[in-house]
Amino acid sequence: MTFDHRFVSLALAGALAACSSSEPEPEPAAAPPAAPAAEPAPAEAQAEADPHSDHAEVAAEHARRAQDPQPIRALEDGARVFGAEVTDREATALATIVSEPSRFDGQVVKTEGVIAQVCQRMGCWMELAAAEGERAVRVPMAGHSFFLPKDVAGRRATVEGTFEVAELDESAREHLREEGAQAADSALAITATAVIVH
């Protein structure tokens, strides 16, 4: 953190004056007087020029958590819960969701399938298919709020989240392909808030 030394000097001078004065202490002001603006240090100037500079900290934290994704709990059968707890809402077959996408667009769904692919950079998305070799749905972990282990392809999973039909632009598709995605061209996705890996 960079301190403005002039502000500190003003604050110390004010404190010393108050201590040495024999008059009663005045009521505290609503806010200290503003210090004169200082020339920004190079790092401060860079932060002002780049409004997304705090994204580097967020990305670093995501990368740290992605190295060792931890479930929020393990079930008695050995399954692991990631993200939030799965609710008791009724599950819908993934094959039904895929065959009638407009019916489920924008709705929270719970479904189950086989994990076809997992992001090999961070575990921040997977692809879920009703059965091995069938059409997969993209499943991003909501806002990178949690991650999956990178070695869970082939396992069954229960997913809960918001289903949406939305085409990705070419740069997003290319980014997913670089991370190992096979369903990057699919417009079908479930933004997962909870995943159980069985």
Side-chain angles (χ1 to χ4, degrees), residues 167-186:
E167 295 285 349
L168 295 175
D169 62 34
E170 182 53 39
S171 64
R173 290 196 296 266
E174 184 58 33
H175 176 78
L176 288 172
R177 289 186 199 108
E178 288 172 1
E179 296 178 337
Q182 301 294 313
D185 294 330
S186 174

Side-chain angles (χ1 to χ4, degrees), residues 39-54:
E39 288 295 318
E44 291 169 329
Q46 183 179 0
E48 286 176 12
D50 180 9
H52 303 292
S53 60
D54 62 324

Side-chain angles (χ1 to χ4, degrees), residues 107-123:
Q107 294 186 30
V108 175
V109 298
K110 181 166 79 173
T111 192
E112 188 175 315
V114 176
I115 301 173
Q117 303 287 334
V118 179
C119 171
Q120 291 301 298
R121 284 191 183 165
M122 297 179 74

Side-chain angles (χ1 to χ4, degrees), residues 5 10 14-15 47 52 70-71 87 99 104 106 110 112 129 132 137 155-156 178 186:
H5 295 289
L10 287 172
H52 303 292
Q70 294 296 314
T87 69
S99 66
F104 296 97
K110 181 166 79 173
E112 188 175 315
E132 197 170 326
V137 172
R155 306 283 295 272
R156 290 199 67 76
E178 288 172 1
S186 174

